[in-house]
mmCIF file of all heavy atoms in Angstrom:
data_model
loop_
_atom_site.group_PDB
_atom_site.id
_atom_site.type_symbol
_atom_site.label_atom_id
_atom_site.label_comp_id
_atom_site.label_asym_id
_atom_site.label_seq_id
_atom_site.Cartn_x
_atom_site.Cartn_y
_atom_site.Cartn_z
ATOM 1 N N ALA A 120 106.197 122.407 114.238
ATOM 2 C CA ALA A 120 106.260 122.275 115.696
ATOM 3 C C ALA A 120 106.568 123.630 116.323
ATOM 4 O O ALA A 120 107.285 124.448 115.739
ATOM 5 C CB ALA A 120 107.339 121.264 116.080
ATOM 6 N N CYS A 121 106.023 123.831 117.534
ATOM 7 C CA CYS A 121 106.270 125.113 118.217
ATOM 8 C C CYS A 121 107.554 125.068 119.011
ATOM 9 O O CYS A 121 108.141 126.101 119.308
ATOM 10 C CB CYS A 121 105.089 125.471 119.114
ATOM 11 S SG CYS A 121 105.024 124.549 120.680
ATOM 12 N N GLY A 122 107.973 123.859 119.420
ATOM 13 C CA GLY A 122 109.239 123.718 120.139
ATOM 14 C C GLY A 122 109.151 123.829 121.652
ATOM 15 O O GLY A 122 110.123 123.547 122.338
ATOM 16 N N HIS A 123 108.004 124.240 122.180
ATOM 17 C CA HIS A 123 107.973 124.432 123.638
ATOM 18 C C HIS A 123 106.724 123.890 124.336
ATOM 19 O O HIS A 123 106.574 124.055 125.535
ATOM 20 C CB HIS A 123 108.169 125.912 123.984
ATOM 21 C CG HIS A 123 107.139 126.798 123.352
ATOM 22 N ND1 HIS A 123 107.412 127.577 122.250
ATOM 23 C CD2 HIS A 123 105.836 126.997 123.639
ATOM 24 C CE1 HIS A 123 106.310 128.216 121.892
ATOM 25 N NE2 HIS A 123 105.344 127.877 122.709
ATOM 26 N N CYS A 124 105.810 123.239 123.621
ATOM 27 C CA CYS A 124 104.646 122.661 124.303
ATOM 28 C C CYS A 124 105.051 121.324 124.952
ATOM 29 O O CYS A 124 106.176 120.847 124.779
ATOM 30 C CB CYS A 124 103.484 122.455 123.328
ATOM 31 S SG CYS A 124 103.778 121.142 122.125
ATOM 32 N N ALA A 125 104.117 120.707 125.663
ATOM 33 C CA ALA A 125 104.445 119.462 126.371
ATOM 34 C C ALA A 125 104.889 118.373 125.407
ATOM 35 O O ALA A 125 105.799 117.593 125.708
ATOM 36 C CB ALA A 125 103.223 119.003 127.177
ATOM 37 N N GLN A 126 104.270 118.284 124.228
ATOM 38 C CA GLN A 126 104.653 117.238 123.264
ATOM 39 C C GLN A 126 106.010 117.562 122.632
ATOM 40 O O GLN A 126 106.841 116.665 122.454
ATOM 41 C CB GLN A 126 103.579 117.091 122.175
ATOM 42 C CG GLN A 126 102.240 116.563 122.679
ATOM 43 C CD GLN A 126 102.257 115.094 123.058
ATOM 44 O OE1 GLN A 126 103.292 114.424 123.035
ATOM 45 N NE2 GLN A 126 101.102 114.573 123.434
ATOM 46 N N CYS A 127 106.231 118.814 122.272
ATOM 47 C CA CYS A 127 107.535 119.178 121.695
ATOM 48 C C CYS A 127 108.648 118.905 122.705
ATOM 49 O O CYS A 127 109.737 118.473 122.330
ATOM 50 C CB CYS A 127 107.550 120.645 121.264
ATOM 51 S SG CYS A 127 106.651 120.961 119.731
ATOM 52 N N CYS A 135 102.721 118.208 118.196
ATOM 53 C CA CYS A 135 102.722 119.573 118.750
ATOM 54 C C CYS A 135 101.296 120.065 118.968
ATOM 55 O O CYS A 135 100.436 119.926 118.104
ATOM 56 C CB CYS A 135 103.465 120.519 117.802
ATOM 57 S SG CYS A 135 103.394 122.240 118.373
ATOM 58 N N GLU A 136 101.070 120.651 120.142
ATOM 59 C CA GLU A 136 99.717 121.061 120.523
ATOM 60 C C GLU A 136 99.370 122.483 120.096
ATOM 61 O O GLU A 136 98.276 122.960 120.346
ATOM 62 C CB GLU A 136 99.588 120.946 122.049
ATOM 63 C CG GLU A 136 99.705 119.502 122.523
ATOM 64 C CD GLU A 136 99.919 119.388 124.022
ATOM 65 O OE1 GLU A 136 100.386 120.371 124.652
ATOM 66 O OE2 GLU A 136 99.637 118.311 124.569
ATOM 67 N N ASN A 137 100.326 123.165 119.463
ATOM 68 C CA ASN A 137 100.119 124.600 119.182
ATOM 69 C C ASN A 137 100.023 124.979 117.717
ATOM 70 O O ASN A 137 99.884 126.151 117.416
ATOM 71 C CB ASN A 137 101.281 125.410 119.788
ATOM 72 C CG ASN A 137 101.108 125.599 121.274
ATOM 73 O OD1 ASN A 137 99.980 125.673 121.754
ATOM 74 N ND2 ASN A 137 102.204 125.660 121.999
ATOM 75 N N THR A 138 100.191 124.055 116.795
ATOM 76 C CA THR A 138 100.354 124.488 115.405
ATOM 77 C C THR A 138 99.190 124.124 114.490
ATOM 78 O O THR A 138 99.271 124.380 113.291
ATOM 79 C CB THR A 138 101.657 123.916 114.809
ATOM 80 O OG1 THR A 138 101.619 122.496 114.917
ATOM 81 C CG2 THR A 138 102.885 124.470 115.506
HETATM 82 ZN ZN1 LIG B 543 104.757 122.208 120.256
#
Side-chain angles (χ1 to χ4, degrees):
C121 77
H123 58 256
C124 70
Q126 294 288 4
C127 284
C135 176
E136 295 166 338
N137 281 329
T138 57

